[in-house]
Amino acid sequence: MSVITCKDVTKHYRSKKALNNLSFTIEGEKITGIIGRNGAGKTTILKILAGFLEATSGEVKIFDEKPFNNIMVSANSIYIDDQMTLPSSLTLAEILKTASNFYENWNTALADGLFNYFSLDPSQYHCNLSKGMKSTFNMILGLSSRCQLTIFDEPTTGMDAAVRKDFYRALLKDYIAYPRTILLSSHHLDEVEDLLEDVLLMKDGQLHLHIPISELKEYATSVKGKRTILEKWIRNKEVIHRSDLGAETTYAVVKNNSAVLLQLDNARHEGLDISPVNSSDLCVYLTSDTKGGIDDVFS
């Protein structure tokens, strides 16, 4: 069953088009990474899915209903980001208590356990927390709600590396215990890729890729070596990225297909270095407007 359906979704902010005929579906009980550069439209589509914004055109369905201004969708979904504003008159303990009365699947034991683990003060106010501690508290809200649709938009902003690792581990353990649809937007793809089942890669408000993470890891191959040999070898292949590493050496990333894979041994015999491309770098290359790197500016 599709929890999320988007068809030809467009969103305008005055003259700027943040989303441009974006279409995709997401099945239930999956963790999907929403990946893309700043300005790709990630936050816009996530806020539309959460019902915070209304699309300019196109069709959006969450649980087969339009999410905007929909109490059923609101009761069964939660949107977490680093810009959350929570009541300044309520302490952290009171916010958790209020949330427990709203979300049907709220897990008090999980909320209390995480709250104590991260040494939060129940009498503290959300507005007085540091950026990192705000993100930590917001994460507790998102996990403990156990909503059928849980959206984390850059949830680790301000967290140090140790807290990020704890968050990812807590997310995975609770997802295994209570499967639901989780969307996770992050700039740290290298940190979250082991959590993800699918990746939705966006560029310029459009869908660039929507594939299982296993396919993304096998999507391309990097080739490095003497420029004259490499240029000949990559001819007639789909080059995703290319940059010069000196006077005689070139680095390229090519999309895998059956023909490329059959020619890798030949490339090695010709003296080229062949290696896989990590998912984070690949997403950067795929969403770049140029084939080269920053060093080419100084060539």
Side-chain angles (χ1 to χ4, degrees):
M1 173 186 172
S2 296
V3 171
I4 299 170
T5 302
C6 291
K7 184 177 180 181
D8 300 326
V9 176
T10 296
K11 177 63 177 178
H12 290 278
Y13 293 109
R14 296 184 179 178
S15 60
K16 178 178 172 56
K17 186 180 287 188
L19 299 177
N20 185 10
N21 294 321
L22 180 64
S23 299
F24 62 88
T25 60
I26 293 179
E27 305 297 322
E29 299 187 359
K30 279 189 175 183
I31 303 179
T32 300
I34 311 299
I35 309 300
R37 297 193 175 198
N38 289 335
K42 303 188 301 299
T43 292
T44 298
I45 187 58
L46 292 178
K47 286 188 174 181
I48 288 174
L49 298 179
F52 292 0
L53 295 176
E54 188 173 19
T56 304
S57 62
E59 181 180 75
V60 181
K61 291 289 185 69
I62 306 295
F63 313 121
D64 289 326
E65 297 204 21
K66 295 180 179 180
F68 185 70
N69 208 22
N70 186 314
I71 189 63
M72 191 281 286
V73 173
S74 296
N76 289 280
S77 62
I78 190 168
Y79 175 87
I80 302 293
D81 72 349
D82 66 333
Q83 302 296 319
M84 290 182 70
T85 54
L86 296 170
S88 60
S89 61
L90 299 181
T91 65
L92 299 184
E94 290 169 337
I95 291 173
L96 292 181
K97 178 62 176 176
T98 302
S100 72
N101 293 327
F102 183 78
Y103 293 107
E104 181 181 3
N105 298 318
W106 180 268
N107 189 300
T108 299
L110 177 62
D112 290 346
L114 290 171
F115 194 89
N116 293 329
Y117 176 80
F118 290 107
S119 302
L120 288 161
D121 181 353
S123 64
Q124 182 75 288
Y125 292 90
H126 189 266
C127 59
N128 294 331
L129 295 176
S130 68
K131 194 172 188 66
M133 293 306 287
K134 280 183 180 178
S135 293
T136 300
F137 182 78
N138 297 346
M139 170 267 290
I140 294 172
L141 282 177
L143 290 180
S144 302
S145 69
R146 286 188 165 177
C147 288
Q148 286 303 310
L149 174 59
T150 300
I151 301 173
F152 289 108
D153 187 5
E154 298 288 349
T156 60
T157 301
M159 292 182 185
D160 61 36
V163 177
R164 291 202 304 270
K165 288 181 180 179
D166 281 339
F167 164 63
Y168 299 139
R169 184 163 177 79
L171 187 154
L172 182 58
K173 287 178 72 70
D174 198 58
Y175 170 76
I176 293 171
Y178 193 87
R180 63 267 206 193
T181 302
I182 296 178
L183 304 185
L184 178 59
S185 166
S186 176
H187 283 114
H188 302 283
L189 181 58
D190 54 335
E191 292 184 359
V192 303
E193 63 177 307
D194 290 338
L195 298 173
L196 306 179
E197 295 167 80
D198 288 351
V199 170
L200 193 154
L201 181 63
M202 295 180 63
K203 179 181 179 181
D204 299 330
Q206 296 179 308
L207 179 66
H208 195 71
L209 279 180
H210 187 190
I211 59 176
I213 188 67
S214 57
E215 291 185 20
L216 185 69
K217 291 178 178 180
E218 303 294 331
Y219 191 84
T221 296
S222 71
V223 187
K224 183 176 71 173
K226 190 174 181 180
R227 181 171 303 132
T228 53
I229 298 174
L230 186 142
E231 293 286 359
K232 181 179 178 181
W233 191 82
I234 64 175
R235 193 176 302 152
N236 300 322
K237 295 178 176 63
E238 184 174 341
V239 179
I240 297 170
H241 171 82
R242 180 192 177 284
S243 58
D244 293 332
L245 302 179
E248 299 294 334
T249 305
T250 296
Y251 172 83
V253 175
V254 297
K255 182 180 178 181
N256 284 334
N257 56 36
S258 57
V260 169
L261 296 175
L262 287 172
Q263 294 175 33
L264 293 182
D265 284 340
N266 180 55
R268 292 187 182 95
H269 289 317
E270 293 184 20
L272 298 176
D273 293 330
I274 306 296
S275 61
V277 185
N278 74 59
S279 301
S280 183
D281 288 344
L282 177 60
C283 287
V284 171
Y285 298 148
L286 286 169
T287 55
S288 176
D289 291 328
T290 62
K291 297 295 184 183
I294 189 65
D295 291 339
D296 294 336
V297 175
F298 301 92
S299 299

